[in-house]
Amino acid sequence: MTKDLRINSKVFSEGTMRAPNRAMLRAVGVTDEDFEKPMVGIASTWSEVTPCNVHIDKLAIASKQGATNAGAVGMIFNTITIADGISMGTSGMRYSLPSRDVIADSIETVVGGENLDGLVAIGGCDKNMPGCMIAIANSNVPSVFVYGGTIAAGKLHGESIDLVSVFEGVGQLNAGQIDEEELRAIECAACPGAGSCGGMYTANTMSSAIEAMGMSLPGSSSNPAVSAEKLADCEEAGAAVYNLMEQGIYPKDIMTKEAFENAITVVMVLGGSTNAVLHLLAMAHAIEIDLTMEDFDRIQKKTPHLADLRPSGKYVMEDLHRIGGVQAVMKMLLEAGYLHGDCLTVTGKTVAENLKESPDLQEGQKIIRPFNNAFSEDGPLVMLKGNLSPRGAVAKMSGVSVTSHTGPARVFDTEEEATEAVMRNEVNEGDVLVIRYVGPKGGPGMPEMLSISGILVGKGLGEKVALITDGRFSGGTHGLVVGHIAPEAQVGGPIAFLKDGDQITVSSATQEISVAVSEEEFEKRRKGWVAPPLQTRGVLGKYAHNVTCSSRGAVTDYFNRDDN
């Protein structure tokens, strides 16, 4: 007898009481024959507001076709996205991180409300990926994630450029290194078409992490957005979900602690975004895995940084694709003992079984270094602690030659004020630029600081001024920067009590972030402090009142609120 794969949809597929339910489904094309099949949702993040997602409508159709050909009923539905690169440096950036939870909640709502049996989730821009994965964890139906793919590199003067080149160009213009005509040329060439930002920024970091975790098909994380391989990824994902339903494999079977460790390892080797810490913590919380910043610290200490990828390196994701992609990197790591090969994946096979069929890194390639010539023997995402951040902070040290910086604080309560000071040349070499009240609650929404960090790099201050914040950084950020400082200023974390001139030390060597202020002095300052009022209305109001500390992944599920 054939196994009934209608784990949820059977509730309305049979019986006279569900005739009204079926009547509405018939109106969208479901037939008598279809009611005997499982129903697979295709969660599309298609949108015309960002190049990351502008092509995903076609990818969703391919996934539906794959599910239908396998024997399911594919049903496309949509969710939202915003473009981090477009909102960067504006008040719109406050909506970026909350959009992760809106995406997750909306997908879970459709899967649960429509009694779907399986799910293919297709994401493009940064928050799509963790949003889709949190939804997959909470929906608890057989699922596959598909990445919409990376953008092609822009070309100018024979060199590859991307969106980060434009942010840095603003700083170069301010420093008198280029003129407005050159900045416009950079602007017009940086983003040539569909796909997510091309370096090892947040989108490509998270796609690599999800593939390493086993939740997307082998090779799919590095296949370009506009390619035959990407369309094949999507069609194969539809078929793969049917296979998972037949085998009874659920997200909890794949998203184990060891799978998260594989993801962190790949992120460290590739020099991925600091946002990976925040998003992997949130994904682990959703699937009920005990993952902490200490796990990142443990893996960072034993994992080398091997990839020469932007923002700190030379190459982009499409270059990695040409030499074998993330699968070839994983194969090398497995053979060297860095990965858990027995973890299950969405193919129904283990990581080790998948990698037997994967290519080796192309001979003579220059993007991934051998282990005996690593950029560093430990990972570039360094967890810091100290009296300025008792719950931890995150620094990305790839491409940064300065391992320790001590200097006077220049304190700002908004990114706009800090940016104006930098553009007026009021922030000097040796300073520690502090931007606070931009954490998960204080932002609200924990905005990214790519605009100001890019300006600092463009002005030649990337390693001469330390930038610290309770907000976040884009995966495109590089330089002497520390984010995710916790507790945040809004809840009375030590960063709230800093004053101009306080001597701050940031050290990746000792994993320290501290300020030369005694506990007694902190206590005096604390007594006169009053928290700014939280936003109360709309999406940001809901987020501000529910979100937890960045050290917990800035999730909005219920926690003990004293834990903020």
Side-chain angles (χ1 to χ4, degrees):
M1 184 176 180
T2 304
K3 182 180 179 182
D4 191 344
L5 304 182
R6 298 173 298 170
I7 57 175
N8 292 320
S9 65
K10 192 172 182 178
V11 296
F12 51 64
S13 294
E14 297 179 354
T16 57
M17 290 295 293
R18 295 292 172 249
N21 311 65
R22 293 193 295 276
M24 292 195 71
L25 286 166
R26 291 181 190 280
V28 298
V30 179
T31 65
D32 283 342
E33 183 182 5
D34 290 336
F35 283 120
E36 300 298 319
K37 303 174 183 177
M39 294 188 175
V40 171
I42 314 295
S44 168
T45 55
W46 171 78
S47 173
E48 292 183 334
V49 302
T50 170
C52 309
N53 297 63
V54 72
H55 61 306
I56 287 178
D57 54 341
K58 299 177 181 65
L59 301 186
I61 291 169
S63 283
K64 176 179 177 177
Q65 189 63 54
T68 300
N69 291 345
V73 179
M75 308 183 82
I76 298 173
F77 64 93
N78 284 82
T79 185
I80 61 111
T81 188
I82 66 166
D84 286 10
I86 296 172
S87 63
M88 197 73 68
T90 75
S91 61
M93 182 25 74
R94 298 182 301 158
Y95 287 88
S96 169
L97 188 58
S99 78
R100 179 189 74 180
D101 293 60
V102 175
I103 291 164
D105 291 348
S106 64
I107 294 174
E108 180 193 348
T109 297
V110 174
V111 173
E114 296 292 321
N115 292 292
L116 299 176
D117 304 302
L119 174 64
V120 175
I122 310 171
C125 202
D126 297 3
K127 306 311 170 296
N128 299 174
M129 278 159 277
C132 288
M133 291 301 298
I134 291 168
I136 283 171
N138 287 328
S139 297
N140 196 34
V141 296
S143 303
V144 175
F145 174 79
V146 185
Y147 176 39
T150 186
I151 194 172
K155 297 293 181 182
L156 185 66
H157 309 314
E159 299 288 331
S160 294
I161 63 171
D162 59 20
L163 181 64
V164 175
S165 307
V166 192
F167 282 106
E168 293 176 1
V170 174
Q172 292 168 336
L173 176 67
N174 181 255
Q177 298 169 14
I178 62 173
D179 58 22
E180 290 188 14
E181 184 178 349
E182 178 67 8
L183 179 60
R184 176 172 170 76
I186 297 170
E187 172 191 334
C188 293
C191 301
S196 300
C197 294
M200 191 46 60
Y201 309 146
T202 301
N204 284 324
T205 296
M206 292 312 301
S207 73
S208 302
I210 293 167
E211 180 173 337
M213 190 182 295
M215 283 301 299
S216 59
L217 292 173
S220 61
S221 67
S222 40
N223 286 337
V226 182
S227 67
E229 293 102 320
K230 184 51 60 183
L231 281 170
D233 289 341
C234 294
E235 187 166 345
E236 290 166 12
V241 167
Y242 193 89
N243 179 53
L244 292 173
M245 291 189 291
E246 286 188 310
Q247 295 193 49
I249 297 174
Y250 288 74
K252 282 190 175 183
D253 301 316
I254 299 172
M255 297 171 68
T256 63
K257 180 68 174 279
E258 291 74 20
F260 278 95
E261 291 179 348
N262 284 348
I264 296 169
T265 298
V266 168
V267 168
M268 293 291 179
V269 166
L270 294 178
S273 167
T274 53
N275 282 315
V277 179
L278 199 70
H279 296 326
L280 288 170
L281 287 171
M283 289 158 54
H285 168 71
I287 204 74
E288 299 182 278
I289 294 296
D290 182 20
L291 191 72
T292 67
M293 290 182 71
E294 285 69 30
D295 291 306
F296 285 86
D297 185 52
R298 170 175 54 84
I299 295 169
Q300 181 268 336
K301 285 179 165 63
K302 64 180 183 179
T303 306
H305 175 211
L306 303 177
D308 188 11
L309 293 168
R310 288 177 63 87
S312 57
K314 179 179 179 181
Y315 298 97
V316 294
M317 191 65 146
E318 66 173 347
D319 297 319
L320 181 61
H321 165 69
R322 292 189 189 104
I323 65 160
V326 171
Q327 277 289 287
V329 176
M330 288 178 63
K331 188 173 186 178
M332 179 183 74
L333 293 174
L334 180 68
E335 290 171 352
Y338 284 94
L339 297 181
H340 301 286
D342 57 350
C343 288
L344 192 61
T345 74
V346 291
T347 65
K349 301 176 182 179
T350 66
V351 168
E353 288 170 334
N354 288 340
L355 292 177
K356 282 181 182 177
E357 303 169 10
S358 297
D360 293 320
L361 283 168
Q362 188 180 92
E363 198 169 329
Q365 61 82 29
K366 299 179 180 179
I367 301 171
I368 304 298
R369 289 189 174 188
F371 292 104
N372 62 4
N373 188 32
F375 285 102
S376 62
E377 293 183 359
D378 52 11
L381 299 186
V382 182
M383 309 300 120
L384 308 179
K385 278 192 176 182
N387 68 342
L388 189 49
S389 186
R391 292 193 182 174
V394 185
K396 183 175 180 178
M397 301 308 297
S398 53
V400 179
S401 60
V402 178
T403 59
S404 185
H405 179 102
T406 298
R410 293 295 316 281
V411 184
F412 298 91
D413 290 348
T414 70
E415 181 186 4
E416 293 77 14
E417 292 170 336
T419 301
E420 289 171 8
V422 171
M423 297 293 279
R424 291 194 300 262
N425 299 315
E426 295 172 359
V427 175
N428 302 310
E429 182 177 332
D431 287 344
V432 178
L433 183 58
V434 180
I435 304 177
R436 64 187 178 189
Y437 294 107
V438 289
K441 287 181 174 293
M446 206 180 179
E448 292 179 344
M449 305 288 148
L450 175 58
S451 179
I452 189 167
S453 66
I455 291 169
L456 286 170
V457 170
K459 288 170 70 70
L461 296 172
E463 294 190 16
K464 298 174 181 177
V465 169
L467 170 56
I468 71 171
T469 180
D470 52 6
R472 298 182 296 128
F473 291 106
S474 163
T477 295
H478 62 113
L480 191 56
V481 299
V482 181
H484 305 201
I485 288 177
E488 62 175 293
Q490 180 68 43
V491 300
I495 192 174
F497 312 126
L498 292 178
K499 294 182 178 180
D500 279 347
D502 287 343
Q503 289 291 308
I504 294 174
T505 295
V506 175
S507 173
S508 62
T510 61
Q511 296 183 257
E512 172 191 4
I513 180 166
S514 63
V515 58
V517 173
S518 68
E519 187 53 44
E520 291 76 17
E521 175 61 22
F522 262 141
E523 192 56 39
K524 287 180 185 176
R525 297 181 187 183
R526 187 179 284 114
K527 287 179 180 177
W529 175 79
V530 177
L534 280 179
Q535 184 153 332
T536 58
R537 300 185 64 82
V539 170
L540 295 180
K542 295 185 184 89
Y543 190 82
H545 284 270
N546 286 286
V547 69
T548 60
C549 182
S550 60
S551 65
R552 301 295 298 265
V555 300
T556 52
D557 289 331
Y558 178 78
F559 264 119
N560 179 348
R561 294 305 165 194
D562 293 337
D563 193 39
N564 285 320

